[in-house]
Amino acid sequence: MISSKLLGLSGLLVFISILLFVFFGPWLKITKIFCQIDTTPCPELLWQTLNPLYGQPLWQVKADILIRHIKATYRYANVAIKLEPPQSVRITIHAPVPFARLQSATDSAVTVIDASGTIIDQTVAGDNLPLIINSAASPQALPLAITLVQLLQTNYLNFVKLNISDPFTLEIDLNSGILVRFSILKDLSAQVNSLQLILRQATIDHTP
């Protein structure tokens, strides 16, 4: 009976030792970190966040917390972290693409945003990007303003700026000096098509 108990205790101790080795030994400690932004390696600044991961047990890495930290600190909108046992972590980042300049209603400060409306690093040059002025200070109208800019670009309609004049109206200053108003309560695509027809007809009418 005693021998059976000793054998059972020995087996339990062996099992605990194996668990301790697996979870706290060198087997699952991070030795490789792969980090890539689109097709390029991650910058040195980002590695200041990643380097402390070396030597940590893989199972202790909180991927969701790390993703939130990278997004908040470095303004990357799309971050994925994959734990690759036994000793590797892979970070894949898709860098935001500058889409437009956004000017607020309260001051003249201009920020650069991507197509989702997310603010990009202030150091990004955006002089050649479309200008959106949010005079109405309406966050609800901003996605529709972005959609309108995309429609205008798709239809090769050049403009100077887009102004969210009130929560329901988008104003476009065309390169020709014409001011066009769009209602966000109506289909924007249909309104752009109508504008294209009007401009085309005006061009025909003025052709000698």
Side-chain angles (χ1 to χ4, degrees), residues 2 16 24 28 38 40 44 62 64 82 118 141-143 150-151 185 188 190 198 200 202 205-206:
I2 295 176
I16 293 173
F24 296 99
L28 283 178
D38 293 326
T40 60
E44 287 296 325
K62 306 297 183 184
D64 55 340
K82 182 180 180 182
T118 302
L142 180 57
Q150 292 171 327
L151 288 169
L185 300 178
L188 291 176
I198 292 171
R200 188 177 299 132
D205 292 342
H206 285 83

Side-chain angles (χ1 to χ4, degrees), residues 10-203:
S10 299
L12 179 61
L13 291 175
V14 170
F15 179 71
I16 293 173
S17 299
I18 292 173
L19 287 180
L20 290 174
F21 174 78
V22 169
F23 287 101
F24 296 99
W27 174 248
L28 283 178
K29 287 189 176 180
I30 297 170
T31 60
K32 295 179 182 179
I33 300 176
F34 305 96
C35 185
Q36 194 168 346
I37 300 177
D38 293 326
T39 58
T40 60
C42 291
E44 287 296 325
L45 188 62
L46 181 53
W47 279 103
Q48 294 177 12
T49 296
L50 302 179
N51 282 330
L53 295 176
Y54 281 110
Q56 289 190 24
L58 189 68
W59 57 271
Q60 284 187 349
V61 175
K62 306 297 183 184
D64 55 340
I65 295 175
L66 185 56
I67 287 173
R68 287 199 297 269
H69 175 73
I70 292 174
K71 286 182 175 181
T73 306
Y74 305 99
R75 294 192 179 276
Y76 293 122
N78 193 334
V79 180
I81 295 178
K82 182 180 180 182
L83 305 181
E84 299 180 344
Q87 298 173 309
S88 299
V89 177
R90 187 175 300 275
I91 298 99
T92 305
I93 299 171
H94 295 294
V97 178
F99 175 76
R101 293 170 293 153
L102 178 64
Q103 183 175 323
S104 67
T106 55
D107 55 46
S108 58
V110 176
T111 56
V112 176
I113 60 174
D114 64 11
S116 70
T118 302
I119 296 176
I120 299 177
D121 188 345
Q122 304 294 324
T123 60
V124 174
D127 294 341
N128 61 333
L129 298 174
L131 176 62
I132 299 174
I133 303 173
N134 195 355
S135 297
S138 173
Q140 294 80 13
L142 180 57
L144 292 168
I146 291 173
T147 297
L148 180 55
V149 170
Q150 292 171 327
L151 288 169
L152 293 170
Q153 291 176 333
T154 301
N155 289 276
Y156 304 102
L157 293 171
N158 298 319
F159 63 98
V160 178
K161 62 183 177 182
L162 181 155
N163 182 30
I164 305 173
S165 57
D166 64 57
F168 306 103
T169 308
L170 306 175
E171 294 180 345
I172 293 289
D173 286 339
L174 296 178
N175 284 7
S176 58
I178 299 174
L179 179 65
V180 183
R181 289 185 175 90
F182 293 82
S183 171
I184 67 172
L185 300 178
K186 299 178 182 179
D187 184 80
L188 291 176
S189 181
Q191 293 178 78
V192 170
N193 290 338
S194 297
L195 173 61
Q196 225 177 6
L197 290 173
I198 292 171
L199 294 175
R200 188 177 299 132
Q201 186 61 47
T203 301

